[in-house]
Amino acid sequence: MAGSDRTWRLVDGLGIFSLGLGTAQLVAPGAMNRLVGAKDTQANRAVQRWLGGAREIAAGIGIETRRSTTGWLWARVAGDVLDVSLLGLVLADPWRRPDERRRAAAATVAVLGVTAADITAALRLSRGAGRETDGRGTGDMADIEAKAMITVNRPLGEVFRFWHDVENLPQFMAHLQSVRSLGGGRSRWRAKAPAGMEIEWEAEITGEEIDEYIAWRSVAGARVQNSGEVRFRPAPGDRGTEIRVRLHYRPPAGKLGAAVAKLFGEEPGQQVRDDLRRFKQVMETGEVVRSEASPEGTTTRRLIAQRPAQPLPA
């Protein structure tokens, strides 16, 4: 497993831990006080709820939504230091019963262990191991790369304009349900993944030259980090337009990551080639031609049946 995968598994684990711990502190502060050997007073319940529970839930949400993940991890480290300090006060109380002191000592050891995990994850992200998309490039965020090319027998300008309208992409990209333009070069993408999961992310155009190329990337914090570019040029022999696509993506960790991996297929390059063949059909015939056994038969796109399927021209 790649180092970045291990990092994001750790990050996800810490985010889920924050949400679980914060929920327990909010709904059962008395039980949490007794668990760590603190006196169960109204003041200590307030500390559990608002200084502990609210802080942990905020950190968990921040981590799991990939919004300033590194910052939220360092916030967790600061919270861990506060927790250790509070537990130190419990241990230093000469009136504390022996069983309370044992519980406080065990809680301190546990917090120190979590602190080490928080620091490890924060340092890895800060140093760029498993880094978030930061807008400075695409090669360092991608674990998987796919490339493909095809020639479409249509004028270059027409091909470029169709692709540039991102809301056209689901017509030939089989894994997409919808792409909605948000203006300013940004768009929201939605895909239906295996096991009944739906995945959404926002993307932005990072560069373009009319009739030459379009480059894009997912915005910072997207659960599905991806980037790519498509280049257009006149095909030799006045045969239309040559299209070259390069795609980078990194599946997230956990169940969502497994679903994304299945969504993009075991061989992403083959899927990109299949998408380009569908694009060729849309541009040249206005429809996607399929055979009866084609998996696209289950989609809602406009399709026409063909029996048997005919090979496409180069």
Side-chain angles (χ1 to χ4, degrees):
M1 180 182 298
S4 59
D5 291 335
R6 290 194 296 270
T7 296
W8 283 107
R9 285 185 183 277
L10 175 60
V11 169
D12 279 333
L14 292 170
I16 293 170
F17 175 79
S18 271
L19 293 172
L21 177 59
T23 300
Q25 289 177 297
L26 281 176
V27 303
M32 294 299 294
N33 279 328
R34 292 188 291 274
L35 180 65
V36 301
K39 293 186 181 298
D40 187 22
T41 64
Q42 288 299 319
N44 283 346
R45 288 193 177 200
V47 170
Q48 283 285 357
R49 282 196 178 104
W50 310 120
L51 194 58
R55 183 194 79 216
E56 291 287 355
I57 287 179
I61 292 173
I63 290 171
E64 289 304 308
T65 56
R66 297 292 192 266
R67 301 292 181 184
S68 302
T69 308
T70 306
W72 282 112
L73 286 169
W74 285 118
R76 273 191 52 80
V77 172
D80 294 337
V81 173
L82 176 61
D83 290 341
V84 170
S85 299
L86 293 174
L87 288 167
L89 295 177
V90 176
L91 288 169
D93 186 350
W95 303 105
R96 195 66 56 189
R97 299 196 311 267
D99 63 309
E100 292 175 332
R101 294 175 66 85
R102 284 194 296 272
R103 291 198 294 272
T108 301
V109 172
V111 172
L112 289 174
V114 174
T115 303
D118 287 333
I119 292 174
T120 297
L123 286 174
R124 287 181 181 177
L125 289 188
S126 298
R127 292 169 180 169
R131 73 182 63 180
E132 300 165 275
T133 307
D134 60 9
R136 289 185 296 235
T138 59
D140 59 351
M141 59 161 275
D143 291 336
I144 297 175
E145 181 181 65
K147 298 179 181 180
M149 67 166 290
I150 201 166
T151 298
V152 177
N153 189 22
R154 301 299 300 170
L156 188 152
E158 179 183 340
V159 172
F160 179 89
R161 287 192 298 273
F162 187 91
W163 196 299
H164 189 268
D165 183 352
V166 293
E167 296 188 358
N168 287 328
L169 299 182
Q171 294 187 41
F172 60 92
M173 291 186 175
H175 62 287
L176 291 178
Q177 285 188 305
S178 66
V179 179
R180 180 166 59 90
S181 176
L182 303 177
R186 292 174 71 109
S187 52
R188 179 176 294 276
W189 301 46
R190 184 175 66 185
K192 190 172 184 63
M197 299 183 70
E198 285 194 353
I199 303 170
E200 289 193 8
W201 67 91
E202 288 189 13
E204 60 186 354
I205 292 177
T206 58
E208 64 177 62
E209 190 70 39
I210 295 176
D211 293 347
E212 290 189 18
Y213 79 95
I214 304 169
W216 73 91
R217 63 155 182 253
S218 55
V219 300
R223 295 300 301 272
V224 181
Q225 298 181 40
N226 64 91
S227 67
E229 66 176 18
V230 55
R231 292 189 173 271
F232 310 84
R233 69 179 186 182
D238 196 26
R239 294 189 298 119
T241 304
E242 185 179 280
I243 303 169
R244 295 178 180 267
V245 175
R246 184 176 64 181
L247 170 70
H248 301 266
Y249 80 93
R250 172 193 293 155
K255 292 182 179 179
L256 178 61
V260 172
K262 290 180 180 179
L263 175 67
F264 282 93
E266 293 183 1
E267 175 45 60
Q270 182 60 51
Q271 185 174 97
V272 174
R273 289 190 290 272
D274 291 342
D275 287 342
L276 284 179
R277 280 193 286 269
R278 283 185 286 268
F279 177 73
K280 177 182 178 74
Q281 292 171 352
V282 168
M283 294 303 301
E284 294 182 355
T285 72
E287 297 175 295
V288 176
V289 182
R290 67 172 177 86
S291 64
E292 274 193 332
S294 173
E296 289 91 351
T298 59
T299 70
T300 59
R301 298 187 185 90
R302 187 176 176 218
L303 304 171
I304 57 176
Q306 177 190 4
R307 192 185 304 155
Q310 298 299 312
L312 293 170

